[in-house]
Amino acid sequence: MSRRLFSSPDYPTIPTSGGGLYPVHRIFCVGRNYVEHAREMGVEVDREAPFYFLKDAQAIVPSGSAIPYPPGTDNFHYEMELVIAVGTPVFRASESQAAAAIWGYGCGLDMTRRDLQLAARAKQRPWDLGKNFEKSAVMAALTPAAVVGTVGPQRITLKVNETIRQDAHLSDLVWSPVEIVVHLSQYYHLAPGDLIYTGTPAGVGPVVAGDRIHGEIDGLAPVDLTVGGAA
Ligand code: MN
């Protein structure tokens, strides 16, 4: 019997409104899922199909944390997002199977090194340096889908130091949560522990050391983050 050469980390967990902990295995993120945000990024939404990038599960940081300003960037951005939590295994889902597979929802921040993302985009390279780095996936507590009800009328907002920067409604999503799960499950065996960040509305922007970020979606626990000095 071979022994492990070093101890492997446990999956990070997120609190839920019922008190249980939700272990995070994978983090999928949808790109360009609000028309006005795509426009502010100088691109148009692709209405043929959503596209994705991933973050490591270990990028999870709980709401209420203070994180260091990350290395390698001069343009660290917030992105306020609705996050889907998958609750049952699902593959090649129909709409009803996709809906049944959604355990719940939470408020998340897809923290982004925008300068690195845009440099990669310009060279048609992957976005990992801009998107997938330590403490880049902020998560608040999850609320069961049955409690949330219909996704659409809820307002989604983000403030930096009490100034509102993002303000939209979930009905502005180009691809709904069910449509995203239907599509993504054509390519992956989705399973409990999979989070899906569904994209951000218009109004993204930079933060600096000392800034306090507060994001809200009606009916969900808010997400909070403080940006510290350089690591
Ligand atoms: Mn995003």
Side-chain angles (χ1 to χ4, degrees), residues 28-165:
F28 298 93
C29 305
V30 181
R32 296 174 202 156
N33 204 15
Y34 290 81
V35 170
E36 292 303 317
H37 170 63
R39 208 157 276 159
E40 75 180 346
M41 298 299 290
V43 287
E44 291 299 316
V45 164
D46 180 354
R47 294 183 183 277
E48 294 295 307
F51 74 95
Y52 309 93
F53 56 90
L54 284 83
K55 297 190 187 222
D56 294 329
Q58 298 299 333
I60 286 285
V61 59
S63 174
S65 299
I67 63 166
Y69 195 94
T73 183
D74 294 312
N75 197 15
F76 186 38
H77 274 212
Y78 55 80
E79 293 191 359
M80 175 64 195
E81 309 204 0
L82 172 73
V83 180
I84 301 164
V86 175
T88 55
V90 64
F91 182 57
R92 294 178 178 156
S94 65
E95 288 210 353
S96 61
Q97 290 167 334
I102 297 175
W103 185 90
Y105 298 98
C107 288
L109 298 172
D110 165 17
M111 298 305 292
T112 300
R113 295 192 279 212
R114 188 73 68 201
D115 40 2
L116 300 187
Q117 181 208 4
L118 293 180
R121 194 181 84 177
K123 293 183 176 179
Q124 298 187 300
R125 289 177 180 167
W127 291 1
D128 299 59
L129 279 184
K131 287 293 194 179
N132 187 9
F133 53 96
E134 293 98 350
K135 302 184 189 296
S136 65
V138 187
M139 271 308 302
L142 297 172
T143 300
V147 175
V148 175
T150 303
V151 172
Q154 297 86 351
R155 190 178 175 203
I156 176 171
T157 59
L158 179 137
K159 292 178 184 174
V160 180
N161 305 328
E162 310 303 329
T163 303
I164 197 147
R165 299 292 185 190

